[in-house]
């Protein structure tokens, strides 16, 4: 049975899901492929909030220090925590982007988005990511409100 990109994204775009997106213009304007974490579940077509993973921990830490952000807004984990990440990785919670299910489905249909099906961010790490987003002085209140009211499946 073949599923449409809309169906695949609806099934997989849940809190803690990982998507690999190869489209530098999608969110952060940087070239190359990036792994994004879904911060909320919303299969009704509303906003989906994404954060990006980075393995450049020194650069991310310096950026946090230079901008005066709280260290809790950088959530790190080891390469052993998730099969997808081959080295220590962090989520900079000062960067949280809104998108919607149709945009994710379009990127999937274009071959620019791949779902990581062998890894999902744990509830403990998701709680730290959400706390970091809420603590951030850079994330706008509208995004914080979506993250704050996100469903937390067991």
């Amino acid at each position: 049975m073949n599923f449409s990109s809309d169906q695949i994204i609806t099934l997989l775009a849940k809190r803690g899901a990982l998507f690999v997106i190869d489209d530098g213009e999608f969110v952060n304007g940087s070239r190359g492929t990036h792994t994004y974490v879904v911060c909320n579940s919303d299969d009704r077509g509303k906003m989906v909030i994404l954060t990006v993973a980075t393995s450049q921990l020194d650069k991310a830490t310096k950026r946090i220090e230079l901008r005066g952000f709280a260290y809790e807004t950088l959530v790190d984990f080891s390469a052993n925590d998730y099969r997808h990440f081959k080295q220590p990785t962090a989520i900079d919670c000062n960067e949280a982007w809104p998108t919607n299910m149709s945009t994710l489905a379009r990127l999937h249909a274009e071959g620019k988005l791949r779902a990581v099906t062998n890894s999902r961010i744990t509830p403990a790490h998701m709680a730290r990511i959400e706390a970091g987003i809420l603590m951030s002085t850079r994330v706008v209140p509208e995004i914080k409100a979506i993250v704050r009211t996100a469903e937390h499946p067991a």
Side-chain angles (χ1 to χ4, degrees):
M1 174 182 253
N2 290 331
F3 293 98
S4 71
S5 290
D6 286 329
Q7 292 169 318
I8 290 169
I9 294 301
T10 299
L11 288 171
L12 298 178
K14 306 296 181 197
R15 180 179 179 264
L18 297 171
F19 288 134
V20 176
I21 301 175
D22 185 11
D23 184 1
E25 301 308 312
F26 171 63
V27 167
N28 59 5
S30 63
R31 300 280 178 230
T33 302
H34 295 84
T35 301
Y36 293 87
V37 177
V38 176
C39 295
N40 66 315
S41 298
D42 186 356
D43 54 5
R44 295 172 304 280
K46 295 182 183 174
M47 288 292 186
V48 177
I49 306 302
L50 302 176
T51 56
V52 68
T54 181
S55 60
Q56 298 176 0
L57 301 183
D58 289 342
K59 186 176 177 182
T61 301
K62 286 178 185 171
R63 190 172 45 246
I64 296 251
E65 290 171 352
L66 287 173
R67 294 179 178 166
F69 298 143
Y71 285 105
E72 293 84 1
T73 63
L74 187 65
V75 176
D76 61 336
F77 33 85
S78 77
N80 296 327
D81 289 335
Y82 301 100
R83 292 172 60 192
H84 175 71
F85 299 114
K86 306 300 181 214
Q87 55 192 345
T89 302
I91 305 296
D92 182 350
C93 301
N94 297 293
E95 304 289 342
W97 296 282
T99 189
N100 56 49
M101 300 292 262
S102 61
T103 298
L104 296 176
R106 178 184 53 79
L107 289 168
H108 182 270
E110 293 172 356
K112 295 179 179 179
L113 181 149
R114 176 178 60 84
V116 178
T117 56
N118 68 350
S119 291
R120 183 175 211 83
I121 302 298
T122 64
H125 279 136
M126 282 307 304
R128 289 180 54 210
I129 292 168
E130 290 163 356
I133 290 170
L134 297 176
M135 182 182 291
S136 174
T137 55
R138 184 171 182 174
V139 175
V140 297
E142 295 81 8
I143 290 178
K144 289 181 180 186
I146 293 169
V147 169
R148 190 177 294 114
T149 60
E151 293 182 22
H152 296 84

